Structure formats: structure tokens, C-alpha cells
Amino acid sequence: MNATSVQVPGETSASVPRRTFDRTSDISKLDGYTSSGVEHRWTIYAPFLDLIPPGSPALDFGCGSLCESFALVSRGIDVTSVDLDPSTMASYRDNYVWPRPLRLLTFAQVADGKLSDDTFRLICSFDVLEHVEEPGALLAMFERHLTNDGLLFLSVPNRFALVEILSWAWWRLGLLRGRVFVPGEPHIQFKSPQEWRRLIEANGTLEVVAHEMAMGFFVITWSAVVGLPARAIDSIIRRQFGRRTAVEGAVLHPRLMKCFSWLDRRMPRRMGVLSGSNLFVARRRAASASRP
């Protein structure tokens, strides 16, 4: 998501959007993900994406800086991109040269029924479910908009990862101190890989056909233990002294992070449960396929 707030059907938000997490120059999440100076590559989505022919309709829900939307459009897919703020999405759109038209909608427009008659061969929702109060309701909406042969690509955090443990602590501490969070700012869903899978399949209408853990233990742990405090130091210096520093850039230097990535690739397979992200591919169960 490209802003510090999110609105899903049934929720409202009056937040001021900010351009954050600008991933315009990143690897698309369909192929991998640039994080903490490391280009994480994975193959889970590629074979399924090859099943989506050009001209197929796709939904990028929580499209952020449109990196994935652009990757899909470049494959000849007709994409509808959804996020919080139209001006922010338009700004990101201008960062690309689009080979095909792109349809932009806000969460509020979706809540008002702008997608009521639409179905999609592919729905992508990366790093969204952990921000919403009722992720099951959002998954049910995705299922309703999938074609019989449609696919759902999801990415969600892993609560066993240290960065998520710290995220939970930051959220709970804020609540105890009376902080009012902007909807969509914190992670409010903290689930294990098994719990995410059970949630996806809870209604009996979706089934997981592929699951992969990504962003290994050393990379994600160093990013949490060292990278997050370094970012805070940069922010404090910038606010207090008006100077820009690069403490975070130094402790997350690409060469160092590649060393951690090398270690992660040599970790025992059973240690994958400590990875930072879950990547899922799901589809509608045959028994629930009722649309042409």
C-alpha cells in the first residue's frame, strides 16, 4: 500500500495520504522484492502468472506505487488498480510509460460498488490483509470477484519473524499510551503461516495451491534489530537539527545485506518458519465455482 492508511469496504478513513514506501524502482513482487539492500528473488508466482493470457482482467488491490500493476500491464493484462488516494495513485502512474490503459479506483469507490459487476482472472493483494480489521471479509470479497479459473496472489507477514514481534510491541505500546493510529498505519493482524492459510480457506470457497516463505531470518532480523533503530536515528537528527544523515543506509549497506542473504540461503529448511513473509497462491474451490 502506498499510504499510511487504508479503507476497505465497510470502513471509512479521513486520513491525509502520504507518499511512503515508494517502490517504483523495485523488483515487482511478482518476481521478487527489493528490501534492505537485497534483491529477494522467488519463483512462486511465475508459473501461475504464465496461465493468465494477455487481455485478461486483473485487480491489484492495495496497488501502492503501481510496481506490480505496471508489471501486469506490460504482459498485456488489463489491470484495475485500487488504493486510498486518487492523487497519490496518479502521481505514481506518471512514473511509468504505460503500454496499455490503466484503470484507477479508490477503496471508497470499491465500497460504493464500482466493482460490483466485475470479475477478474487474477487478483493481487500484497501486504494488505495485515492492516485491516476483518481480513476474512476482504478475502470473501476477492472470492466473489474471481472467475471460475481465477487466481489470487497474496503476501502477508509472519508473526514469528522478529520484525513482526517488534511491530506488535510498537502497536500495543501505542495503544497503551493512548495513541490514535491512522487506519492502515500499523499491522493489526499477527498470524503464523498456518493461521494465514486457515484464514484463506476458512469459508470453504478458496483453497491454497502454493505457499512459500520469503525474506530469510538473517536479513529480516538484522533489518529489525539494527535497521529500524537506525531509521529512527536518521529521523530524529533530521527533525532536531535539520540535517540529513545516512545511518540506516550504512547499517543496511547492500554488500552487508547480501552476506546475510547468503547465510539465509544456507539455513536449514526447517528454519524457514522464521522468514519474514508468506507468499500464497489461492483459487476458488471447484464446488464454489458458479460463474461462467
Side-chain angles (χ1 to χ4, degrees), residues 249-286:
V251 300
L252 299 180
H253 192 280
R255 290 182 181 178
L256 176 62
M257 299 311 296
K258 285 180 180 179
C259 292
F260 288 129
S261 186
W262 181 88
L263 289 173
D264 280 328
R265 289 195 297 271
R266 283 150 183 81
M267 287 276 284
R269 189 175 184 84
R270 63 181 177 273
M271 296 295 289
V273 71
L274 299 177
S275 296
S277 297
N278 294 278
L279 313 176
F280 286 103
V281 178
R283 65 185 178 192
R284 300 178 72 216
R285 290 188 185 275

PDB file of all heavy atoms in Angstrom, residues 249-286:
ATOM      1  N   GLY A 249      21.241   3.743   5.852  1.00  0.00           N
ATOM      2  CA  GLY A 249      21.903   3.270   4.638  1.00  0.00           C
ATOM      3  C   GLY A 249      23.213   2.573   4.929  1.00  0.00           C
ATOM      4  O   GLY A 249      23.594   1.627   4.227  1.00  0.00           O
ATOM      5  N   ALA A 250      23.912   3.018   5.981  1.00  0.00           N
ATOM      6  CA  ALA A 250      25.196   2.411   6.330  1.00  0.00           C
ATOM      7  C   ALA A 250      25.016   1.018   6.925  1.00  0.00           C
ATOM      8  O   ALA A 250      25.727   0.079   6.562  1.00  0.00           O
ATOM      9  CB  ALA A 250      25.949   3.319   7.301  1.00  0.00           C
ATOM     10  N   VAL A 251      24.047   0.879   7.841  1.00  0.00           N
ATOM     11  CA  VAL A 251      23.887  -0.425   8.509  1.00  0.00           C
ATOM     12  C   VAL A 251      23.159  -1.426   7.623  1.00  0.00           C
ATOM     13  O   VAL A 251      23.213  -2.641   7.878  1.00  0.00           O
ATOM     14  CB  VAL A 251      23.157  -0.273   9.854  1.00  0.00           C
ATOM     15  CG1 VAL A 251      23.929   0.643  10.779  1.00  0.00           C
ATOM     16  CG2 VAL A 251      21.730   0.210   9.668  1.00  0.00           C
ATOM     17  N   LEU A 252      22.470  -0.925   6.596  1.00  0.00           N
ATOM     18  CA  LEU A 252      21.808  -1.817   5.642  1.00  0.00           C
ATOM     19  C   LEU A 252      22.483  -1.731   4.280  1.00  0.00           C
ATOM     20  O   LEU A 252      21.836  -1.834   3.238  1.00  0.00           O
ATOM     21  CB  LEU A 252      20.324  -1.448   5.509  1.00  0.00           C
ATOM     22  CG  LEU A 252      19.472  -1.532   6.772  1.00  0.00           C
ATOM     23  CD1 LEU A 252      18.034  -1.145   6.470  1.00  0.00           C
ATOM     24  CD2 LEU A 252      19.525  -2.928   7.375  1.00  0.00           C
ATOM     25  N   HIS A 253      23.795  -1.590   4.294  1.00  0.00           N
ATOM     26  CA  HIS A 253      24.543  -1.483   3.040  1.00  0.00           C
ATOM     27  C   HIS A 253      24.323  -2.744   2.210  1.00  0.00           C
ATOM     28  O   HIS A 253      24.313  -3.869   2.740  1.00  0.00           O
ATOM     29  CB  HIS A 253      26.035  -1.307   3.338  1.00  0.00           C
ATOM     30  CG  HIS A 253      26.824  -0.910   2.133  1.00  0.00           C
ATOM     31  ND1 HIS A 253      27.231  -1.821   1.181  1.00  0.00           N
ATOM     32  CD2 HIS A 253      27.271   0.313   1.724  1.00  0.00           C
ATOM     33  CE1 HIS A 253      27.906  -1.194   0.238  1.00  0.00           C
ATOM     34  NE2 HIS A 253      27.943   0.101   0.539  1.00  0.00           N
ATOM     35  N   PRO A 254      24.114  -2.596   0.897  1.00  0.00           N
ATOM     36  CA  PRO A 254      23.836  -3.771   0.056  1.00  0.00           C
ATOM     37  C   PRO A 254      24.849  -4.895   0.184  1.00  0.00           C
ATOM     38  O   PRO A 254      24.484  -6.078   0.187  1.00  0.00           O
ATOM     39  CB  PRO A 254      23.834  -3.181  -1.358  1.00  0.00           C
ATOM     40  CG  PRO A 254      23.399  -1.768  -1.163  1.00  0.00           C
ATOM     41  CD  PRO A 254      23.995  -1.337   0.151  1.00  0.00           C
ATOM     42  N   ARG A 255      26.139  -4.567   0.319  1.00  0.00           N
ATOM     43  CA  ARG A 255      27.141  -5.637   0.434  1.00  0.00           C
ATOM     44  C   ARG A 255      26.943  -6.435   1.716  1.00  0.00           C
ATOM     45  O   ARG A 255      27.052  -7.671   1.724  1.00  0.00           O
ATOM     46  CB  ARG A 255      28.551  -5.043   0.384  1.00  0.00           C
ATOM     47  CG  ARG A 255      28.933  -4.494  -0.980  1.00  0.00           C
ATOM     48  CD  ARG A 255      30.361  -3.977  -0.977  1.00  0.00           C
ATOM     49  NE  ARG A 255      30.731  -3.432  -2.279  1.00  0.00           N
ATOM     50  CZ  ARG A 255      31.897  -2.873  -2.545  1.00  0.00           C
ATOM     51  NH1 ARG A 255      32.828  -2.771  -1.582  1.00  0.00           N
ATOM     52  NH2 ARG A 255      32.152  -2.401  -3.758  1.00  0.00           N
ATOM     53  N   LEU A 256      26.664  -5.734   2.808  1.00  0.00           N
ATOM     54  CA  LEU A 256      26.429  -6.419   4.069  1.00  0.00           C
ATOM     55  C   LEU A 256      25.168  -7.276   3.989  1.00  0.00           C
ATOM     56  O   LEU A 256      25.155  -8.430   4.423  1.00  0.00           O
ATOM     57  CB  LEU A 256      26.295  -5.388   5.193  1.00  0.00           C
ATOM     58  CG  LEU A 256      25.944  -5.942   6.585  1.00  0.00           C
ATOM     59  CD1 LEU A 256      27.027  -6.890   7.080  1.00  0.00           C
ATOM     60  CD2 LEU A 256      25.733  -4.791   7.567  1.00  0.00           C
ATOM     61  N   MET A 257      24.110  -6.704   3.414  1.00  0.00           N
ATOM     62  CA  MET A 257      22.860  -7.434   3.349  1.00  0.00           C
ATOM     63  C   MET A 257      22.963  -8.649   2.429  1.00  0.00           C
ATOM     64  O   MET A 257      22.307  -9.671   2.658  1.00  0.00           O
ATOM     65  CB  MET A 257      21.736  -6.502   2.889  1.00  0.00           C
ATOM     66  CG  MET A 257      21.489  -5.318   3.813  1.00  0.00           C
ATOM     67  SD  MET A 257      21.340  -5.774   5.572  1.00  0.00           S
ATOM     68  CE  MET A 257      19.857  -6.777   5.533  1.00  0.00           C
ATOM     69  N   LYS A 258      23.785  -8.558   1.414  1.00  0.00           N
ATOM     70  CA  LYS A 258      23.986  -9.724   0.553  1.00  0.00           C
ATOM     71  C   LYS A 258      24.678 -10.856   1.311  1.00  0.00           C
ATOM     72  O   LYS A 258      24.437 -12.030   1.042  1.00  0.00           O
ATOM     73  CB  LYS A 258      24.786  -9.327  -0.691  1.00  0.00           C
ATOM     74  CG  LYS A 258      23.966  -8.538  -1.702  1.00  0.00           C
ATOM     75  CD  LYS A 258      24.791  -8.163  -2.925  1.00  0.00           C
ATOM     76  CE  LYS A 258      23.931  -7.372  -3.908  1.00  0.00           C
ATOM     77  NZ  LYS A 258      24.708  -6.962  -5.108  1.00  0.00           N
ATOM     78  N   CYS A 259      25.536 -10.492   2.268  1.00  0.00           N
ATOM     79  CA  CYS A 259      26.159 -11.521   3.109  1.00  0.00           C
ATOM     80  C   CYS A 259      25.105 -12.228   3.950  1.00  0.00           C
ATOM     81  O   CYS A 259      25.117 -13.467   4.076  1.00  0.00           O
ATOM     82  CB  CYS A 259      27.218 -10.886   4.007  1.00  0.00           C
ATOM     83  SG  CYS A 259      28.673 -10.261   3.143  1.00  0.00           S
ATOM     84  N   PHE A 260      24.199 -11.443   4.526  1.00  0.00           N
ATOM     85  CA  PHE A 260      23.121 -12.056   5.304  1.00  0.00           C
ATOM     86  C   PHE A 260      22.231 -12.917   4.416  1.00  0.00           C
ATOM     87  O   PHE A 260      21.770 -13.981   4.829  1.00  0.00           O
ATOM     88  CB  PHE A 260      22.290 -10.979   6.008  1.00  0.00           C
ATOM     89  CG  PHE A 260      22.987 -10.333   7.158  1.00  0.00           C
ATOM     90  CD1 PHE A 260      23.070  -8.956   7.260  1.00  0.00           C
ATOM     91  CD2 PHE A 260      23.577 -11.092   8.159  1.00  0.00           C
ATOM     92  CE1 PHE A 260      23.716  -8.349   8.325  1.00  0.00           C
ATOM     93  CE2 PHE A 260      24.227 -10.499   9.226  1.00  0.00           C
ATOM     94  CZ  PHE A 260      24.295  -9.131   9.310  1.00  0.00           C
ATOM     95  N   SER A 261      21.989 -12.451   3.206  1.00  0.00           N
ATOM     96  CA  SER A 261      21.172 -13.225   2.274  1.00  0.00           C
ATOM     97  C   SER A 261      21.868 -14.541   1.930  1.00  0.00           C
ATOM     98  O   SER A 261      21.222 -15.593   1.803  1.00  0.00           O
ATOM     99  CB  SER A 261      20.912 -12.400   1.008  1.00  0.00           C
ATOM    100  OG  SER A 261      20.029 -13.065   0.146  1.00  0.00           O
ATOM    101  N   TRP A 262      23.182 -14.495   1.784  1.00  0.00           N
ATOM    102  CA  TRP A 262      23.962 -15.713   1.515  1.00  0.00           C
ATOM    103  C   TRP A 262      23.800 -16.701   2.674  1.00  0.00           C
ATOM    104  O   TRP A 262      23.642 -17.905   2.454  1.00  0.00           O
ATOM    105  CB  TRP A 262      25.428 -15.336   1.327  1.00  0.00           C
ATOM    106  CG  TRP A 262      26.339 -16.482   1.011  1.00  0.00           C
ATOM    107  CD1 TRP A 262      26.630 -16.985  -0.226  1.00  0.00           C
ATOM    108  CD2 TRP A 262      27.079 -17.265   1.956  1.00  0.00           C
ATOM    109  NE1 TRP A 262      27.517 -18.043  -0.122  1.00  0.00           N
ATOM    110  CE2 TRP A 262      27.808 -18.233   1.206  1.00  0.00           C
ATOM    111  CE3 TRP A 262      27.217 -17.244   3.339  1.00  0.00           C
ATOM    112  CZ2 TRP A 262      28.642 -19.167   1.825  1.00  0.00           C
ATOM    113  CZ3 TRP A 262      28.045 -18.171   3.942  1.00  0.00           C
ATOM    114  CH2 TRP A 262      28.743 -19.120   3.187  1.00  0.00           C
ATOM    115  N   LEU A 263      23.851 -16.193   3.906  1.00  0.00           N
ATOM    116  CA  LEU A 263      23.645 -17.056   5.070  1.00  0.00           C
ATOM    117  C   LEU A 263      22.244 -17.651   5.081  1.00  0.00           C
ATOM    118  O   LEU A 263      22.056 -18.831   5.391  1.00  0.00           O
ATOM    119  CB  LEU A 263      23.883 -16.263   6.357  1.00  0.00           C
ATOM    120  CG  LEU A 263      25.318 -15.868   6.666  1.00  0.00           C
ATOM    121  CD1 LEU A 263      25.353 -14.939   7.871  1.00  0.00           C
ATOM    122  CD2 LEU A 263      26.178 -17.103   6.928  1.00  0.00           C
ATOM    123  N   ASP A 264      21.247 -16.823   4.729  1.00  0.00           N
ATOM    124  CA  ASP A 264      19.868 -17.309   4.719  1.00  0.00           C
ATOM    125  C   ASP A 264      19.688 -18.462   3.747  1.00  0.00           C
ATOM    126  O   ASP A 264      18.955 -19.417   4.031  1.00  0.00           O
ATOM    127  CB  ASP A 264      18.911 -16.173   4.353  1.00  0.00           C
ATOM    128  CG  ASP A 264      18.615 -15.261   5.526  1.00  0.00           C
ATOM    129  OD1 ASP A 264      18.598 -15.754   6.668  1.00  0.00           O
ATOM    130  OD2 ASP A 264      18.387 -14.057   5.305  1.00  0.00           O
ATOM    131  N   ARG A 265      20.348 -18.390   2.611  1.00  0.00           N
ATOM    132  CA  ARG A 265      20.195 -19.454   1.618  1.00  0.00           C
ATOM    133  C   ARG A 265      20.794 -20.766   2.099  1.00  0.00           C
ATOM    134  O   ARG A 265      20.481 -21.828   1.548  1.00  0.00           O
ATOM    135  CB  ARG A 265      20.834 -19.028   0.296  1.00  0.00           C
ATOM    136  CG  ARG A 265      20.062 -17.935  -0.431  1.00  0.00           C
ATOM    137  CD  ARG A 265      20.514 -17.806  -1.880  1.00  0.00           C
ATOM    138  NE  ARG A 265      21.914 -17.412  -1.990  1.00  0.00           N
ATOM    139  CZ  ARG A 265      22.336 -16.158  -2.031  1.00  0.00           C
ATOM    140  NH1 ARG A 265      21.461 -15.162  -1.956  1.00  0.00           N
ATOM    141  NH2 ARG A 265      23.618 -15.879  -2.150  1.00  0.00           N
ATOM    142  N   ARG A 266      21.637 -20.697   3.120  1.00  0.00           N
ATOM    143  CA  ARG A 266      22.271 -21.902   3.647  1.00  0.00           C
ATOM    144  C   ARG A 266      21.676 -22.339   4.979  1.00  0.00           C
ATOM    145  O   ARG A 266      22.192 -23.256   5.617  1.00  0.00           O
ATOM    146  CB  ARG A 266      23.778 -21.662   3.765  1.00  0.00           C
ATOM    147  CG  ARG A 266      24.457 -21.758   2.391  1.00  0.00           C
ATOM    148  CD  ARG A 266      25.682 -20.882   2.276  1.00  0.00           C
ATOM    149  NE  ARG A 266      26.232 -20.980   0.922  1.00  0.00           N
ATOM    150  CZ  ARG A 266      25.738 -20.284  -0.112  1.00  0.00           C
ATOM    151  NH1 ARG A 266      24.733 -19.467   0.040  1.00  0.00           N
ATOM    152  NH2 ARG A 266      26.275 -20.432  -1.322  1.00  0.00           N
ATOM    153  N   MET A 267      20.597 -21.693   5.372  1.00  0.00           N
ATOM    154  CA  MET A 267      19.912 -22.082   6.603  1.00  0.00           C
ATOM    155  C   MET A 267      19.186 -23.401   6.397  1.00  0.00           C
ATOM    156  O   MET A 267      18.700 -23.692   5.306  1.00  0.00           O
ATOM    157  CB  MET A 267      18.900 -21.004   6.992  1.00  0.00           C
ATOM    158  CG  MET A 267      19.520 -19.737   7.532  1.00  0.00           C
ATOM    159  SD  MET A 267      19.891 -19.854   9.295  1.00  0.00           S
ATOM    160  CE  MET A 267      18.247 -19.663   9.981  1.00  0.00           C
ATOM    161  N   PRO A 268      19.104 -24.234   7.448  1.00  0.00           N
ATOM    162  CA  PRO A 268      18.300 -25.454   7.328  1.00  0.00           C
ATOM    163  C   PRO A 268      16.874 -25.118   6.931  1.00  0.00           C
ATOM    164  O   PRO A 268      16.316 -24.098   7.339  1.00  0.00           O
ATOM    165  CB  PRO A 268      18.361 -26.042   8.747  1.00  0.00           C
ATOM    166  CG  PRO A 268      19.594 -25.462   9.353  1.00  0.00           C
ATOM    167  CD  PRO A 268      19.740 -24.096   8.757  1.00  0.00           C
ATOM    168  N   ARG A 269      16.261 -25.982   6.148  1.00  0.00           N
ATOM    169  CA  ARG A 269      14.931 -25.718   5.631  1.00  0.00           C
ATOM    170  C   ARG A 269      13.917 -25.465   6.752  1.00  0.00           C
ATOM    171  O   ARG A 269      13.012 -24.651   6.614  1.00  0.00           O
ATOM    172  CB  ARG A 269      14.484 -26.899   4.759  1.00  0.00           C
ATOM    173  CG  ARG A 269      13.194 -26.639   3.997  1.00  0.00           C
ATOM    174  CD  ARG A 269      12.872 -27.794   3.061  1.00  0.00           C
ATOM    175  NE  ARG A 269      11.700 -27.525   2.271  1.00  0.00           N
ATOM    176  CZ  ARG A 269      11.679 -26.836   1.149  1.00  0.00           C
ATOM    177  NH1 ARG A 269      12.811 -26.317   0.690  1.00  0.00           N
ATOM    178  NH2 ARG A 269      10.564 -26.630   0.477  1.00  0.00           N
ATOM    179  N   ARG A 270      14.076 -26.170   7.867  1.00  0.00           N
ATOM    180  CA  ARG A 270      13.110 -26.022   8.966  1.00  0.00           C
ATOM    181  C   ARG A 270      13.152 -24.636   9.593  1.00  0.00           C
ATOM    182  O   ARG A 270      12.232 -24.240  10.311  1.00  0.00           O
ATOM    183  CB  ARG A 270      13.369 -27.075  10.037  1.00  0.00           C
ATOM    184  CG  ARG A 270      14.722 -26.974  10.710  1.00  0.00           C
ATOM    185  CD  ARG A 270      14.915 -28.064  11.737  1.00  0.00           C
ATOM    186  NE  ARG A 270      16.241 -28.035  12.349  1.00  0.00           N
ATOM    187  CZ  ARG A 270      17.296 -28.645  11.858  1.00  0.00           C
ATOM    188  NH1 ARG A 270      17.184 -29.335  10.723  1.00  0.00           N
ATOM    189  NH2 ARG A 270      18.473 -28.578  12.454  1.00  0.00           N
ATOM    190  N   MET A 271      14.233 -23.868   9.331  1.00  0.00           N
ATOM    191  CA  MET A 271      14.335 -22.522   9.863  1.00  0.00           C
ATOM    192  C   MET A 271      13.532 -21.519   9.034  1.00  0.00           C
ATOM    193  O   MET A 271      13.420 -20.353   9.408  1.00  0.00           O
ATOM    194  CB  MET A 271      15.799 -22.084   9.922  1.00  0.00           C
ATOM    195  CG  MET A 271      16.648 -22.921  10.873  1.00  0.00           C
ATOM    196  SD  MET A 271      16.123 -22.738  12.584  1.00  0.00           S
ATOM    197  CE  MET A 271      16.669 -21.068  12.917  1.00  0.00           C
ATOM    198  N   GLY A 272      12.958 -21.991   7.933  1.00  0.00           N
ATOM    199  CA  GLY A 272      12.158 -21.109   7.094  1.00  0.00           C
ATOM    200  C   GLY A 272      10.978 -20.503   7.816  1.00  0.00           C
ATOM    201  O   GLY A 272      10.447 -19.459   7.415  1.00  0.00           O
ATOM    202  N   VAL A 273      10.537 -21.149   8.906  1.00  0.00           N
ATOM    203  CA  VAL A 273       9.402 -20.626   9.663  1.00  0.00           C
ATOM    204  C   VAL A 273       9.701 -19.262  10.266  1.00  0.00           C
ATOM    205  O   VAL A 273       8.791 -18.520  10.644  1.00  0.00           O
ATOM    206  CB  VAL A 273       8.986 -21.625  10.769  1.00  0.00           C
ATOM    207  CG1 VAL A 273      10.031 -21.659  11.871  1.00  0.00           C
ATOM    208  CG2 VAL A 273       7.614 -21.285  11.340  1.00  0.00           C
ATOM    209  N   LEU A 274      10.987 -18.886  10.343  1.00  0.00           N
ATOM    210  CA  LEU A 274      11.381 -17.589  10.889  1.00  0.00           C
ATOM    211  C   LEU A 274      11.530 -16.525   9.805  1.00  0.00           C
ATOM    212  O   LEU A 274      11.910 -15.398  10.100  1.00  0.00           O
ATOM    213  CB  LEU A 274      12.698 -17.723  11.661  1.00  0.00           C
ATOM    214  CG  LEU A 274      12.663 -18.680  12.856  1.00  0.00           C
ATOM    215  CD1 LEU A 274      14.054 -18.771  13.490  1.00  0.00           C
ATOM    216  CD2 LEU A 274      11.634 -18.224  13.889  1.00  0.00           C
ATOM    217  N   SER A 275      11.219 -16.878   8.571  1.00  0.00           N
ATOM    218  CA  SER A 275      11.298 -15.898   7.488  1.00  0.00           C
ATOM    219  C   SER A 275      10.267 -14.799   7.681  1.00  0.00           C
ATOM    220  O   SER A 275       9.305 -14.938   8.445  1.00  0.00           O
ATOM    221  CB  SER A 275      11.076 -16.594   6.137  1.00  0.00           C
ATOM    222  OG  SER A 275      12.113 -17.519   5.874  1.00  0.00           O
ATOM    223  N   GLY A 276      10.440 -13.707   6.957  1.00  0.00           N
ATOM    224  CA  GLY A 276       9.625 -12.528   7.196  1.00  0.00           C
ATOM    225  C   GLY A 276       8.280 -12.498   6.512  1.00  0.00           C
ATOM    226  O   GLY A 276       7.381 -11.789   6.953  1.00  0.00           O
ATOM    227  N   SER A 277       8.115 -13.237   5.417  1.00  0.00           N
ATOM    228  CA  SER A 277       6.889 -13.103   4.627  1.00  0.00           C
ATOM    229  C   SER A 277       6.328 -14.452   4.217  1.00  0.00           C
ATOM    230  O   SER A 277       7.066 -15.424   4.026  1.00  0.00           O
ATOM    231  CB  SER A 277       7.153 -12.282   3.357  1.00  0.00           C
ATOM    232  OG  SER A 277       7.552 -10.975   3.681  1.00  0.00           O
ATOM    233  N   ASN A 278       5.003 -14.482   4.071  1.00  0.00           N
ATOM    234  CA  ASN A 278       4.295 -15.606   3.462  1.00  0.00           C
ATOM    235  C   ASN A 278       3.826 -15.187   2.078  1.00  0.00           C
ATOM    236  O   ASN A 278       3.230 -14.122   1.917  1.00  0.00           O
ATOM    237  CB  ASN A 278       3.048 -15.977   4.278  1.00  0.00           C
ATOM    238  CG  ASN A 278       3.366 -16.517   5.649  1.00  0.00           C
ATOM    239  OD1 ASN A 278       3.667 -17.687   5.807  1.00  0.00           O
ATOM    240  ND2 ASN A 278       3.290 -15.646   6.649  1.00  0.00           N
ATOM    241  N   LEU A 279       4.093 -16.010   1.094  1.00  0.00           N
ATOM    242  CA  LEU A 279       3.589 -15.794  -0.260  1.00  0.00           C
ATOM    243  C   LEU A 279       2.585 -16.908  -0.551  1.00  0.00           C
ATOM    244  O   LEU A 279       2.906 -18.087  -0.420  1.00  0.00           O
ATOM    245  CB  LEU A 279       4.725 -15.831  -1.279  1.00  0.00           C
ATOM    246  CG  LEU A 279       5.978 -15.014  -0.944  1.00  0.00           C
ATOM    247  CD1 LEU A 279       7.047 -15.232  -2.006  1.00  0.00           C
ATOM    248  CD2 LEU A 279       5.644 -13.540  -0.812  1.00  0.00           C
ATOM    249  N   PHE A 280       1.366 -16.532  -0.937  1.00  0.00           N
ATOM    250  CA  PHE A 280       0.319 -17.512  -1.185  1.00  0.00           C
ATOM    251  C   PHE A 280      -0.233 -17.362  -2.597  1.00  0.00           C
ATOM    252  O   PHE A 280      -0.349 -16.255  -3.127  1.00  0.00           O
ATOM    253  CB  PHE A 280      -0.860 -17.325  -0.214  1.00  0.00           C
ATOM    254  CG  PHE A 280      -0.587 -17.780   1.192  1.00  0.00           C
ATOM    255  CD1 PHE A 280      -0.309 -16.865   2.193  1.00  0.00           C
ATOM    256  CD2 PHE A 280      -0.639 -19.137   1.518  1.00  0.00           C
ATOM    257  CE1 PHE A 280      -0.088 -17.280   3.496  1.00  0.00           C
ATOM    258  CE2 PHE A 280      -0.413 -19.551   2.824  1.00  0.00           C
ATOM    259  CZ  PHE A 280      -0.137 -18.623   3.816  1.00  0.00           C
ATOM    260  N   VAL A 281      -0.608 -18.500  -3.182  1.00  0.00           N
ATOM    261  CA  VAL A 281      -1.437 -18.531  -4.378  1.00  0.00           C
ATOM    262  C   VAL A 281      -2.673 -19.342  -4.021  1.00  0.00           C
ATOM    263  O   VAL A 281      -2.563 -20.458  -3.500  1.00  0.00           O
ATOM    264  CB  VAL A 281      -0.716 -19.183  -5.576  1.00  0.00           C
ATOM    265  CG1 VAL A 281      -1.644 -19.240  -6.789  1.00  0.00           C
ATOM    266  CG2 VAL A 281       0.556 -18.422  -5.916  1.00  0.00           C
ATOM    267  N   ALA A 282      -3.846 -18.779  -4.274  1.00  0.00           N
ATOM    268  CA  ALA A 282      -5.104 -19.462  -3.963  1.00  0.00           C
ATOM    269  C   ALA A 282      -6.021 -19.404  -5.170  1.00  0.00           C
ATOM    270  O   ALA A 282      -5.832 -18.591  -6.092  1.00  0.00           O
ATOM    271  CB  ALA A 282      -5.777 -18.826  -2.741  1.00  0.00           C
ATOM    272  N   ARG A 283      -7.033 -20.259  -5.158  1.00  0.00           N
ATOM    273  CA  ARG A 283      -8.034 -20.263  -6.221  1.00  0.00           C
ATOM    274  C   ARG A 283      -9.386 -20.646  -5.622  1.00  0.00           C
ATOM    275  O   ARG A 283      -9.456 -21.108  -4.481  1.00  0.00           O
ATOM    276  CB  ARG A 283      -7.662 -21.272  -7.310  1.00  0.00           C
ATOM    277  CG  ARG A 283      -7.680 -22.722  -6.850  1.00  0.00           C
ATOM    278  CD  ARG A 283      -7.190 -23.661  -7.918  1.00  0.00           C
ATOM    279  NE  ARG A 283      -7.175 -25.043  -7.428  1.00  0.00           N
ATOM    280  CZ  ARG A 283      -6.571 -26.057  -8.057  1.00  0.00           C
ATOM    281  NH1 ARG A 283      -5.942 -25.822  -9.197  1.00  0.00           N
ATOM    282  NH2 ARG A 283      -6.616 -27.267  -7.546  1.00  0.00           N
ATOM    283  N   ARG A 284     -10.431 -20.466  -6.394  1.00  0.00           N
ATOM    284  CA  ARG A 284     -11.763 -20.860  -5.945  1.00  0.00           C
ATOM    285  C   ARG A 284     -11.866 -22.380  -5.987  1.00  0.00           C
ATOM    286  O   ARG A 284     -11.418 -23.031  -6.936  1.00  0.00           O
ATOM    287  CB  ARG A 284     -12.841 -20.232  -6.823  1.00  0.00           C
ATOM    288  CG  ARG A 284     -12.812 -18.711  -6.812  1.00  0.00           C
ATOM    289  CD  ARG A 284     -13.871 -18.114  -7.731  1.00  0.00           C
ATOM    290  NE  ARG A 284     -15.190 -18.309  -7.147  1.00  0.00           N
ATOM    291  CZ  ARG A 284     -16.272 -18.559  -7.878  1.00  0.00           C
ATOM    292  NH1 ARG A 284     -16.171 -18.720  -9.177  1.00  0.00           N
ATOM    293  NH2 ARG A 284     -17.445 -18.666  -7.291  1.00  0.00           N
ATOM    294  N   ARG A 285     -12.468 -22.941  -4.966  1.00  0.00           N
ATOM    295  CA  ARG A 285     -12.699 -24.380  -4.954  1.00  0.00           C
ATOM    296  C   ARG A 285     -13.693 -24.740  -6.057  1.00  0.00           C
ATOM    297  O   ARG A 285     -14.613 -23.989  -6.366  1.00  0.00           O
ATOM    298  CB  ARG A 285     -13.240 -24.833  -3.603  1.00  0.00           C
ATOM    299  CG  ARG A 285     -12.225 -24.763  -2.478  1.00  0.00           C
ATOM    300  CD  ARG A 285     -12.768 -25.406  -1.214  1.00  0.00           C
ATOM    301  NE  ARG A 285     -11.854 -25.241  -0.105  1.00  0.00           N
ATOM    302  CZ  ARG A 285     -10.818 -26.065   0.153  1.00  0.00           C
ATOM    303  NH1 ARG A 285     -10.610 -27.106  -0.656  1.00  0.00           N
ATOM    304  NH2 ARG A 285     -10.024 -25.853   1.177  1.00  0.00           N
ATOM    305  N   ALA A 286     -13.516 -25.925  -6.599  1.00  0.00           N
ATOM    306  CA  ALA A 286     -14.378 -26.364  -7.699  1.00  0.00           C
ATOM    307  C   ALA A 286     -15.841 -26.326  -7.302  1.00  0.00           C
ATOM    308  O   ALA A 286     -16.720 -25.947  -8.077  1.00  0.00           O
ATOM    309  CB  ALA A 286     -13.976 -27.759  -8.148  1.00  0.00           C
TER     310      ALA A 286
END
